[in-house]
Amino acid sequence: MRILLIEDSRNLLDALRLGLTKAGYEVNTAADGETGLRMAAKGGYDVIVLDLLLPGIPGLEVLGRLRELGSEVHVLILTALDAVEDRVKGLRAGADDYLAKPFSFDELLARLQALTRRRFGKKAPVIRVGDLVIDTVGRIVTRAGEEISLTHREYRLLEFLAFRGGETVSRMEIEEHLYGLRSLPLSNVVDSAICSIRGKLKRHGTEPLIHTRPRLGYVLSEHAP
Amino acid sequence: MKSIRYALLWRLGGGVLLLLVAGGAALYAGVSWLLVSQFDAGLETKLETFASLLLQDGDEIELEFADASMPQFSAEIDPEYFQIWLRGDGDDALFRSRSLDGGDLPRTFAPSGEPALVWDLALPDGRSGRAIGAEVQIQKQEWNIFRKKPEPASVVIVLAQGRGPLDDSLSALLWGTVAGILVLLGASVVLALRVVNTGLRPLDDLTHHAAAVEDPLRAPRFDAENAPRELRPVADGFNDLLDRIQTAFERERRTTANIAHELKTPVSELMILTDVALRYGDGAGETRRALEQARGIAEQMDALIAMLLKLARIESGRIPLEPEPIDLAEMVGECWSPLSAGATAKGQSFVGPKPGRTVTADRAALGVVLTNLLDNAVAYAPEKSTIRCAIESNGKACALVVSNPSNGLQADDVDKLTEPFWRASSSRGDRDHAGIGLALAHRLAELLQLELSFAAEEGVFSARVDFAARHLDVMPSTTA
């Protein structure tokens, strides 16, 4: 899951980058409106966290220009402007959510998770695939009632496959989602992560859930495609 | 509480009452004089009638009078009276009316040749009456060729009659006048009320308009164009006051929003820093780094609060000022010195003022003003640009001008420069400057009675400090 943070407060930017990275997100940052717009326009982000009072191009203008470019990326406005008219203006300009400063990290995380679910058309925070249960809020994965220990990257890969709900997901999409465009890894890194997840899932159930579609990608499903 | 309406009503009512009473009294006096004159004229006519009825035949004097011709002198009810004496012949009457029944009227009269004497008296039957008395010469004499014409005799005639009808008329006149006064007074009060209310309606409208103002920011302005001439200055003053309040409110609101933003950002930083450290901090190094960052943020907040307190202290006017002669160019040099390293780091150059101009001001306060202006120039002028400081002088006054390339500052932004914590869009994210320096400089300049103005024209931002003639002389020590 890739997030772009556009925020002029250096301290806040650093703390959020650290926290969101620890939470398993791929985070890019911009400290002014112009840089933020340039990065956002390139695409590839699941959510953009946008401050309004920015040096250079103001946040609302960044949002407006993004929408003019046809970007459908989810935007969460994060700002000190907390008046009702500011919220209304932000949401009407095309934002998907609005969070006023000061805020708690837990709330920001929950809102980002909700936006992520919305991106994939999911409303329930818990995704079930056969006897596999993925709690996207607690980031807990269980199979047949037994908790499975996954690394951050493994969890994000499994969650991505689960969000796509039975669709075939290409290696390219997984690479872009997990590593971002700037840090494209070797293609066998995806295969190796899939292999590792399969191994952990197999310990708690016999039926395979991640299926390989040759030259196409992978599918997370109870039944083989 | 004083009331224009009541004062006008009282004065109008009092004036009208006074006029009505005076008018009524004059009317009553005039009409009653007329009535009495008419009454007296009637008595005089009767007296002349009696005089014409007298006939002198030798020594005999006859009265050609018959009761039937003037029955009022023999009436049983409310009779009239007459009595005639020969002049100078004692109290024996020649004739008297039957109504006197042998009694006498007072023998009071005006001498011959003078107007008849008229007076009030009590009639023999007890009624109040009015009498007329005069000495007249008998006009008709009987004589022939055998008797020579006698000398005309003088007689005294006194007539009296009840004044009941006259008193009734006077009484009716009196009460009619009083009633008229009361009716007119009532009508005048009603009219005065209408006139006063109509006259004061524009004032009432203004009062209601002012009373209805709950939110000066959204209050409609009073229609001064259509207000009466007398109220137009008040209406204009009221509208100007609303404008000033609105400007002050908006300025205050912007300042509050700016302060809130300045405080919310470090609070957010602290919260997120501690949240992340608590949630993911898995080593002493990370915790220490978070704590160090938290301390840095707390120091920024402390500096912010210190600036706010300083601003409040300046605005309260409790800064002691000790004016002294200051070499302006020398002071600019002192203020620039600690800033020069920062300017050099940005590749900025500085052109200072020419020496020679001395002003009188508080050294510390003027130093803060100049330092903030120069610091602002260093902070917001583009890299590798030139900052200029010049002294303009015309002998009676002088000005110090700090100018630099404006770095995107718009002309519309100039008015907001002295609002605490206001930031131009291009300077957001700059945590080294709280956005209060120019506000401090502005307040201090006001205390020093200097005029500090800003301009952003043709890509150049300039701050100008005007020193008036009084700053060119030595000022006594004061406390603002």
Side-chain angles (χ1 to χ4, degrees):
Chain A
M1 200 66 60
R2 297 187 69 219
I3 291 176
L4 173 61
L5 285 175
I6 309 176
E7 164 64 57
D8 66 332
S9 162
R10 181 55 63 185
N11 287 325
L12 194 57
L13 205 59
D14 289 345
L16 283 176
R17 177 166 46 196
L18 178 66
L20 291 174
T21 304
K22 295 264 187 185
Y25 291 98
E26 175 73 21
V27 181
N28 293 132
T29 60
D32 62 80
E34 202 170 337
T35 311
L37 178 61
R38 197 170 56 245
M39 292 172 71
K42 285 182 183 172
Y45 295 102
D46 297 299
V47 180
I48 294 175
V49 177
L50 178 66
D51 189 9
L52 290 184
L53 302 173
L54 289 169
I57 306 173
L60 274 183
E61 198 176 324
V62 171
L63 179 57
R65 289 203 205 171
L66 267 182
R67 295 307 184 216
E68 278 174 16
L69 291 170
S71 171
E72 294 290 330
V73 66
H74 285 295
V75 174
L76 185 152
I77 289 177
L78 186 65
T79 177
L81 303 177
D82 61 351
V84 173
E85 53 263 39
D86 294 321
R87 291 168 191 261
V88 170
K89 205 185 287 180
L91 292 170
R92 282 186 176 160
D96 299 276
D97 202 355
Y98 196 104
L99 185 57
K101 295 174 185 174
F103 58 98
S104 86
F105 185 70
D106 283 346
E107 185 179 359
L108 175 68
L109 213 51
R111 285 174 186 263
L112 289 175
Q113 286 163 349
L115 285 178
T116 307
R117 287 198 301 275
R118 278 167 61 185
R119 181 174 185 271
F120 295 103
K122 305 283 183 189
K123 288 189 176 174
V126 175
I127 304 170
R128 296 174 190 279
V129 181
D131 57 354
L132 179 72
V133 178
I134 303 170
D135 177 355
T136 60
V137 174
R139 298 191 159 232
I140 297 167
V141 178
T142 58
R143 189 170 192 196
E146 296 288 324
E147 187 171 338
I148 301 169
S149 175
L150 297 173
T151 65
H152 276 309
R153 197 148 285 170
E154 287 168 351
Y155 171 82
R156 286 173 57 203
L157 200 164
L158 185 63
E159 184 191 63
F160 186 47
L161 291 175
F163 275 142
R164 298 292 292 266
E167 290 178 17
T168 301
V169 184
S170 68
R171 280 189 180 81
M172 183 79 81
E173 285 177 290
I174 294 171
E175 285 166 356
E176 189 180 312
H177 182 75
L178 288 188
Y179 305 104
L181 295 174
R182 288 180 306 169
S183 55
L184 196 65
L186 296 172
S187 61
N188 67 350
V189 174
V190 174
D191 296 332
S192 138
I194 291 283
C195 183
S196 171
I197 296 170
R198 274 178 175 153
K200 289 180 179 177
L201 294 180
K202 202 172 179 182
R203 285 181 213 151
H204 302 281
T206 52
E207 293 298 319
L209 294 175
I210 299 176
H211 310 282
T212 304
R213 300 201 64 191
R215 293 184 301 281
L216 292 177
Y218 299 96
V219 179
L220 178 68
S221 172
E222 189 177 359
H223 307 289
Chain B
M1 187 167 61
K2 286 183 180 175
S3 161
I4 295 175
R5 177 174 279 101
Y6 291 144
L8 281 175
L9 282 174
W10 274 116
R11 285 168 192 172
L12 269 176
V16 168
L17 180 64
L18 202 66
L19 282 175
L20 286 175
V21 168
L27 179 72
Y28 177 79
V31 175
S32 62
W33 176 84
L34 199 65
L35 288 174
V36 171
S37 297
Q38 284 177 347
F39 190 86
D40 292 349
L43 281 173
E44 199 169 341
T45 303
K46 284 178 186 174
L47 187 137
E48 287 169 358
T49 302
F50 270 91
S52 67
L53 291 175
L54 288 169
L55 177 65
Q56 185 179 355
D57 185 4
D59 294 335
E60 293 294 322
I61 295 172
E62 295 175 10
L63 177 67
E64 294 175 332
F65 173 79
D67 287 338
S69 61
M70 286 190 262
Q72 67 267 35
F73 290 99
S74 56
E76 294 290 329
I77 301 168
D78 298 343
E80 296 179 10
Y81 307 91
F82 72 86
Q83 193 167 357
I84 301 169
W85 293 266
L86 192 60
R87 177 81 170 97
D89 197 25
D91 291 336
D92 292 337
L94 289 174
F95 309 100
R96 57 166 58 88
S97 64
R98 193 183 300 279
S99 56
L100 276 173
D101 196 20
D104 288 314
L105 288 171
R107 191 180 175 186
T108 306
F109 60 95
S112 180
E114 291 183 16
L117 186 67
V118 183
W119 75 98
D120 289 326
L121 79 170
L123 295 174
D125 59 3
R127 287 179 296 139
S128 145
R130 194 158 174 82
I132 185 169
E135 177 189 352
V136 297
Q137 282 189 331
I138 298 172
Q139 301 296 319
K140 290 191 288 185
Q141 283 89 27
E142 283 286 336
W143 58 281
N144 54 36
I145 54 172
F146 303 104
R147 290 187 294 174
K148 71 171 186 183
K149 186 178 178 182
E151 283 296 315
S154 287
V155 294
V156 173
I157 304 174
V158 174
L159 289 171
Q161 72 176 76
R163 54 176 294 159
L166 176 63
D167 287 341
D168 288 347
S169 296
L170 289 175
S171 177
L173 175 66
L174 177 66
W175 288 114
T177 305
V178 170
I181 288 173
L182 290 176
V183 168
L184 284 175
L185 185 65
S188 301
V189 168
V190 172
L191 191 66
L193 265 174
R194 289 182 65 89
V195 169
V196 168
N197 283 339
T198 305
L200 291 180
R201 189 165 298 146
L203 193 60
D204 288 340
D205 290 346
L206 182 60
T207 306
H208 291 144
H209 192 92
V213 172
E214 290 180 355
D215 181 358
L217 295 180
R218 293 178 180 80
R221 298 299 181 261
F222 191 77
D223 184 8
E225 287 296 316
N226 294 318
R229 193 176 53 190
E230 294 82 358
L231 271 187
R232 193 165 294 178
V234 181
D236 285 338
F238 175 77
N239 288 341
D240 286 347
L241 180 66
L242 279 183
D243 288 343
R244 286 201 301 276
I245 290 173
Q246 185 168 5
T247 304
F249 263 107
E250 283 168 356
R251 188 185 175 95
E252 197 68 23
R253 185 182 287 175
R254 282 199 300 272
T255 301
T256 307
N258 289 336
I259 292 172
H261 180 254
E262 288 300 320
L263 289 173
K264 275 180 182 180
T265 300
V267 168
S268 299
E269 291 168 358
L270 280 176
M271 283 179 69
I272 296 307
L273 202 64
T274 49
D275 275 0
V276 170
L278 288 169
R279 192 179 179 110
Y280 302 113
D282 50 6
E286 283 186 4
T287 305
R288 182 178 179 81
R289 192 163 58 246
L291 286 174
E292 283 171 354
Q293 279 183 301
R295 179 168 178 79
I297 294 166
E299 283 172 356
Q300 280 180 6
M301 290 176 77
D302 183 52
L304 190 72
I305 291 165
M307 292 291 255
L308 274 175
L309 289 174
K310 192 171 183 179
L311 186 65
R313 208 161 51 243
I314 291 171
E315 286 183 337
S316 71
R318 287 200 293 269
I319 303 289
L321 299 178
E322 293 176 3
E324 60 179 282
I326 298 168
D327 184 308
L328 211 44
E330 198 177 293
M331 167 151 271
V332 168
E334 288 171 13
C335 295
W336 176 255
S337 181
L339 303 171
S340 59
T344 305
K346 290 179 75 175
Q348 295 165 333
S349 56
F350 179 67
V351 178
K354 292 177 182 170
R357 168 52 74 185
T358 301
V359 296
T360 303
D362 180 88
R363 179 173 287 278
L366 184 61
V368 173
V369 173
L370 298 185
T371 300
N372 275 299
L373 296 183
L374 293 169
D375 185 44
N376 184 72
V378 172
Y380 300 115
E383 291 182 356
K384 297 177 182 172
S385 60
T386 301
I387 297 165
R388 298 177 190 278
C389 184
I391 297 171
E392 298 173 2
S393 179
N394 64 4
K396 291 182 180 176
C398 76
L400 186 138
V401 182
V402 178
S403 60
N404 56 271
S406 70
N407 200 11
L409 189 74
Q410 303 297 312
D412 293 345
D413 294 337
V414 169
D415 290 342
K416 297 172 188 165
L417 284 174
T418 56
E419 291 178 17
F421 303 109
W422 180 85
R423 288 171 188 274
S425 169
S426 55
S427 66
R428 292 201 178 279
D430 172 16
R431 294 288 151 206
D432 295 330
H433 292 81
I436 202 168
L438 294 185
L440 279 175
H442 186 251
R443 304 295 189 277
L444 275 174
E446 282 178 347
L447 281 183
L448 292 169
Q449 298 178 309
L450 302 173
E451 191 178 329
L452 175 57
S453 56
F454 303 96
E457 292 169 350
E458 298 175 354
V460 176
F461 171 74
S462 61
R464 179 186 177 95
V465 185
D466 277 294
F467 296 87
R470 62 178 170 276
H471 296 107
L472 307 182
D473 302 315
V474 175
M475 292 193 299
S477 179
T478 59
T479 297

